[in-house]
Amino acid sequence: ILSALRRCLSQQASIRAAFYNGISEIYPNYIHLQPLILDILTEQFEVFFDTEKMFAVPLDLDRCFERGTLAEPLHLLFQCVAECLETSSSATKDYKSYLSLESKMRIIISCFCKLSSSDECNLDRDLDPKSPT
């Protein structure tokens, strides 16, 4: 089963999207598989999480695209990880992959919060269609 799940993540974006949606739905019901699923999600998450480069947010978004098309539905990966973290059993919450994913998600959320409140990003002005550019 696990090798089939890992193989899904080497497929095109639509298969990955279905994988993330499906995992989110079944995860709470298979407590014995939660650590293994978290391992798979951690491996995938780490492909895009990059603290080595000096970005405002530690994500390598270039890896999400191949030849101008979406190769990784990163938003669905984030949603899947968040839902799995939210619905993890109490025993799973002490597992290494759980702690790693939780830490990385906190870093990303913190970075986005800092960006959204930063004057240098001008997010509010950029989103307002009435404001001059």
Side-chain angles (χ1 to χ4, degrees), residues 8-21 64 66 69-76:
C8 288
L9 297 175
S10 66
Q11 303 300 315
Q12 59 266 46
S14 60
I15 305 248
R16 292 178 194 202
F19 170 83
Y20 296 140
N21 289 325
C64 295
E66 289 178 4
T69 61
L70 182 67
E72 177 62 36
L74 198 57
H75 63 294
L76 294 177

Side-chain angles (χ1 to χ4, degrees), residues 104-121:
K104 287 174 174 64
M105 287 294 280
R106 286 184 188 276
I107 289 169
I108 290 171
I109 290 168
S110 173
C111 290
F112 280 127
C113 288
K114 287 177 188 173
L115 283 173
S116 69
S117 64
S118 171
D119 286 337
E120 69 185 58
C121 286

Side-chain angles (χ1 to χ4, degrees), residues 35-99:
L36 302 171
I37 291 170
L38 288 176
D39 285 344
I40 292 169
L41 291 174
T42 299
E43 289 172 23
Q44 187 68 7
F45 198 90
E46 288 176 349
V47 169
F48 305 98
F49 190 82
D50 188 355
T51 56
E52 298 298 315
K53 295 181 181 175
M54 298 303 292
F55 295 127
V57 178
L59 296 172
D60 189 352
L61 298 178
D62 290 336
R63 290 184 171 198
C64 295
F65 297 91
E66 289 178 4
R67 295 181 218 107
T69 61
L70 182 67
E72 177 62 36
L74 198 57
H75 63 294
L76 294 177
L77 173 58
F78 286 167
Q79 181 180 352
C80 179
V81 167
E83 289 176 4
C84 288
L85 292 175
E86 175 90 15
T87 60
S88 287
S89 70
S90 57
T92 303
K93 290 183 179 181
D94 291 329
Y95 190 66
K96 180 182 174 183
S97 288
Y98 177 93
L99 298 171

